[in-house]
Amino acid sequence: MMNLPFNRLSKRMHMGLISIWFSGILQAQQPNILWITCEDISPALSMYGDSTAQTPNLDRLAAESTIYTEAYATVGVCAPTRSSIITGMYPISIGTQHMRTGRDMAGWGSRDYSSPSEAVDVNGEAIPLYSAVIPAKVKCFTEYLRKAGYFCTNNPKTDYQFAAPVTAWDENGYQAHWKHRREGQPFFSVFNINVSHESFLWKNKDKPLTVDPATVPVPPYFPDTETVRKDIARNYSNIELMDAQVGVLIEELEAAGLLDNTIIFFFSDHGGPLPRSKRLHYESGLRVPLMVRMPDALKQKYDYDMVSFVDLAPTVLVLANVDVPDYLQGQAFIGGPVARREFIFGSGDRFDEFSDRVRSVISKNYVYVRNFYPEKPAYKDISYRKQIPMMDELLAMNASGELNKNQQYWFRQTKTKEEFYLRKEDPYSLKNRINDPKYQTQIQFLRGAMDEWLTEAKDLGAIPEKELFLKMWPDGKQPKTPKPLVNVKKGKVAIYTKEPGASLAYILSDHEIEPDLDSGWQVYTQPVDIDKGQYLYTLAVRIGYKDSDIVMIEK
């Protein structure tokens, strides 16, 4: 792994302490890996001390898993943080930090944005929808798994800020499933459950509540009203619906006899859906539940080390016994040698129609925030969020002066250049201690960690988004990947590309076809044998570019 200073790895490396239970799995074969992901929940689950929602399936999983108490998204909203999950990179490093740049939310999406007809109005400037062009060396980490023989599926959400290339997944969409692999082929499969998403706070408004509003905990930044309690109860009720879907996925695995040879991850894509959680750079927006069930260690234990979403990609590669590329900014937290994080780094830039630039550092004891535009309000009047029933009430109460100091804090019209909070004494980040003389040493330490991170990450947030867009799309036009080069010799087809960062995909068919996204593209790794009467189709793809034209070879 690249030794990045901003990882601040502890010197207490677990060198040589690869657990016995883990080594046994890899001796015979590469393990299957299942990701069960959900949307928009904080650690509001029984294994984290909150039993408001009844989650028997997650409780069962937790009883046989390692529970990570300090797991964090990189951004408090889906698309930027999902870009870090699939690449192992910070969004600010690869230009995916703005929410949302494109329209690729589920399945393959469209990789041709040549005539973007939609735009986001940001402070009076139209920003067209675009597929982010990320650095040439950066790939979806699943491409490395596929090259190592894994069958990779995603069902169905992508939302990476760029269209998923055909080299990323064997199957990508609502029908994608590990069941479609070859017999004996190891799989890496992702199933995303969306019923806990923010939008279901209003989409499910006519469904019966399964959690009593009178019993829910109300955080101090909300007024204790009937509307607020009902929205909180709806969130917990949605979590219960999500739990039922978790049970279905585990039952499928068990029925197929694969539970004992499959590593299961469960996590949310970022913090909870309620106001002052989602889109925020505090714990409320970044901290998530994360559990990992290892088949050879079926007991509950807690891990208190800090884990970032940039760590997911290298961890899966290590578990799959696949080489980890040097450019990844994360570090494996299972499989050894394992390094311990000292800091979590978070960011917030444009959210829909409102632009800002905020960076945060979270340590075991403190939260440090840097506001690059302190003159901008802390609260962003995002129209999408205003569909949550409590938002009208919160805004009206704020306007009439009915909110107390803690409840008003989110609505402050300007911000300090820096913020500093004590996690144990102030878990909701409501009392800014940036000017407290008792903590200046700690503040300086976190300030230095922030400086190192921004330097090493090469923070692209300093570039105005319109300028960044034009760097990615010269003259406002989406670049296109050149066609691959092909050499046929002695029944073998060798495929090449001169485009830096491009990947190659191919289909070998016994009859002539018209390939589309679902045609079963394979990742090219070495020359392909072709027999007489067969057809080979190939294309080159680069993330953010339009795909190349398809080249056909007939033997």
Side-chain angles (χ1 to χ4, degrees):
M1 289 286 295
M2 183 184 297
N3 184 20
L4 296 176
F6 58 77
N7 278 337
R8 291 271 183 163
L9 307 185
S10 167
K11 296 183 183 297
R12 296 172 293 155
M13 300 284 286
H14 303 297
M15 300 300 294
L17 298 182
I18 301 176
S19 302
I20 295 173
W21 48 261
F22 171 73
S23 61
I25 287 178
L26 292 182
Q27 285 175 359
Q29 61 178 9
Q30 292 175 305
N32 303 315
I33 302 172
L34 173 67
W35 276 10
I36 302 175
T37 68
C38 69
E39 302 193 42
D40 300 19
I41 74 167
S42 297
L45 301 169
S46 62
M47 66 288 308
Y48 289 93
D50 184 348
S51 297
T52 308
Q54 300 302 300
T55 54
N57 296 293
L58 287 172
D59 290 349
R60 176 193 171 193
L61 184 65
E64 299 179 339
S65 298
T66 298
I67 300 162
Y68 292 86
T69 63
E70 296 278 349
Y72 294 85
T74 52
V75 185
V77 74
C78 48
T81 203
R82 285 174 180 270
S83 73
S84 64
I85 292 171
I86 195 62
T87 63
M89 303 290 286
Y90 288 103
I92 64 169
S93 293
I94 59 176
T96 56
Q97 69 271 26
H98 298 293
M99 172 70 187
R100 162 178 294 116
T101 66
R103 53 182 178 266
D104 304 307
M105 295 183 64
W108 298 105
S110 168
R111 286 186 300 285
D112 185 350
Y113 284 76
S114 55
S115 300
S117 58
E118 301 170 82
V120 179
D121 189 313
V122 183
N123 300 327
E125 182 176 39
I127 305 292
L129 293 184
Y130 60 98
S131 188
V133 176
I134 68 176
K137 63 184 176 182
V138 179
K139 310 280 188 182
C140 295
F141 79 88
T142 51
E143 183 172 320
Y144 304 116
L145 293 173
R146 293 188 71 194
K147 287 181 178 180
Y150 269 80
F151 183 74
C152 296
T153 69
N154 181 70
N155 184 331
K157 191 168 183 177
T158 52
D159 209 11
Y160 303 147
Q161 305 278 55
F162 52 80
V166 294
T167 50
W169 302 102
D170 288 276
E171 294 181 354
N172 187 16
Y174 288 93
Q175 305 305 315
H177 204 290
W178 51 262
K179 291 180 179 178
H180 304 149
R181 75 197 191 287
R182 298 191 312 271
E183 184 177 354
Q185 185 179 13
F187 66 79
F188 171 73
S189 289
V190 179
F191 290 87
N192 185 76
I193 302 171
N194 72 342
V195 72
S196 53
H197 184 267
E198 173 186 32
S199 60
F200 285 86
L201 293 172
W202 60 85
K203 288 179 180 178
N204 281 354
K205 66 180 180 179
D206 295 327
K207 287 183 178 289
L209 288 169
T210 57
V211 173
D212 183 356
T215 67
V216 299
V218 179
Y221 47 75
F222 290 151
D224 192 345
T225 69
E226 182 180 349
T227 304
V228 167
R229 282 188 170 274
K230 188 174 180 180
D231 279 353
I232 295 173
R234 177 65 62 198
N235 179 41
Y236 281 112
S237 297
N238 289 342
I239 288 173
E240 293 189 345
L241 294 173
M242 178 270 292
D243 178 77
Q245 295 184 41
V246 170
V248 171
L249 293 170
I250 295 176
E251 286 172 8
E252 279 187 327
L253 203 63
E254 195 168 23
L258 294 169
L259 193 59
D260 292 336
N261 188 38
T262 302
I263 300 169
I264 301 175
F265 287 65
F266 169 81
F267 59 92
S268 171
D269 62 350
H270 51 74
L274 294 167
R276 221 274 185 176
S277 293
K278 186 171 181 176
R279 302 176 185 86
L280 270 291
H281 41 275
Y282 307 115
E283 282 187 73
S284 58
L286 300 181
R287 189 163 168 246
V288 298
L290 170 64
M291 298 186 286
V292 182
R293 180 189 185 272
M294 301 293 295
D296 284 5
L298 300 181
K299 64 179 181 179
Q300 183 178 102
K301 72 171 186 176
Y302 283 83
D303 190 307
Y304 302 96
D305 287 344
M306 305 191 96
V307 176
S308 169
F309 272 4
V310 292
D311 301 329
L312 289 170
T315 298
V316 169
L317 293 175
V318 167
L319 290 172
N321 215 15
V322 174
D323 289 341
V324 178
D326 287 342
Y327 68 79
L328 293 188
Q329 292 173 320
Q331 58 202 43
F333 58 89
I334 306 173
V338 175
R340 290 176 177 159
R341 282 188 170 275
E342 189 168 6
F343 298 120
I344 292 292
F345 299 100
S347 61
D349 291 83
R350 176 172 61 79
F351 296 107
D352 298 345
E353 68 269 40
F354 289 88
S355 187
D356 204 342
R357 186 184 174 206
V358 184
R359 302 292 180 260
S360 61
V361 180
I362 300 176
S363 69
K364 284 284 189 176
N365 297 315
Y366 309 110
V367 176
Y368 168 83
V369 176
R370 184 173 297 176
N371 294 301
F372 287 83
Y373 300 108
E375 70 279 6
K376 292 188 175 185
Y379 166 75
K380 297 168 180 60
D381 198 38
I382 296 167
S383 56
Y384 187 82
R385 178 168 52 206
K386 290 169 77 172
Q387 297 175 87
I388 301 174
M390 75 163 73
M391 278 306 305
D392 284 344
E393 183 174 82
L394 291 177
L395 290 168
M397 292 179 72
N398 183 59
S400 62
E402 296 177 72
L403 299 181
N404 65 29
K405 184 178 180 181
N406 286 336
Q407 295 155 8
Q408 289 176 338
Y409 189 60
W410 184 36
F411 294 101
R412 61 197 188 278
Q413 289 302 299
T414 59
K415 306 183 289 284
T416 55
K417 290 183 178 180
E418 298 174 293
E419 303 168 37
F420 182 76
Y421 305 93
L422 311 181
R423 289 187 61 192
K424 292 180 182 178
E425 296 177 22
D426 180 21
Y428 299 102
S429 297
L430 294 169
K431 297 176 176 60
N432 184 5
R433 304 290 192 92
I434 193 64
N435 295 318
D436 191 327
K438 290 192 300 185
Y439 297 104
Q440 293 310 302
T441 299
Q442 292 88 339
I443 290 169
Q444 184 61 38
F445 185 60
L446 292 177
R447 188 180 285 144
M450 170 76 76
D451 291 341
E452 285 188 24
W453 176 53
L454 295 180
T455 299
E456 292 292 333
K458 297 180 172 60
D459 185 4
L460 295 174
I463 303 173
E465 188 178 8
K466 190 65 173 287
E467 181 181 337
L468 182 64
F469 162 70
L470 291 173
K471 285 179 180 289
M472 295 177 175
W473 287 33
D475 299 321
K477 295 181 180 179
Q478 185 181 16
K480 183 174 180 178
T481 316
K483 289 193 299 186
L485 305 173
V486 177
N487 181 28
V488 183
K489 187 175 182 181
K490 295 182 179 180
K492 288 185 179 291
V493 180
I495 310 171
Y496 308 91
T497 179
K498 293 183 178 180
E499 175 63 37
S503 297
L504 298 166
Y506 72 95
I507 298 169
L508 188 62
S509 175
D510 291 331
H511 55 275
E512 192 170 359
I513 62 173
E514 294 184 7
D516 59 20
L517 296 177
D518 295 313
S519 296
W521 293 94
Q522 300 299 306
V523 181
Y524 177 79
T525 58
Q526 60 185 8
V528 180
D529 292 322
I530 185 170
D531 296 329
K532 188 171 183 179
Q534 287 188 312
Y535 297 82
L536 185 140
Y537 301 85
T538 183
L539 58 75
V541 295
R542 178 175 168 185
I543 291 175
Y545 282 40
K546 287 190 282 187
D547 292 348
S548 77
D549 295 331
I550 295 173
V551 175
M552 184 189 78
I553 301 296
E554 179 183 0
K555 180 70 183 291

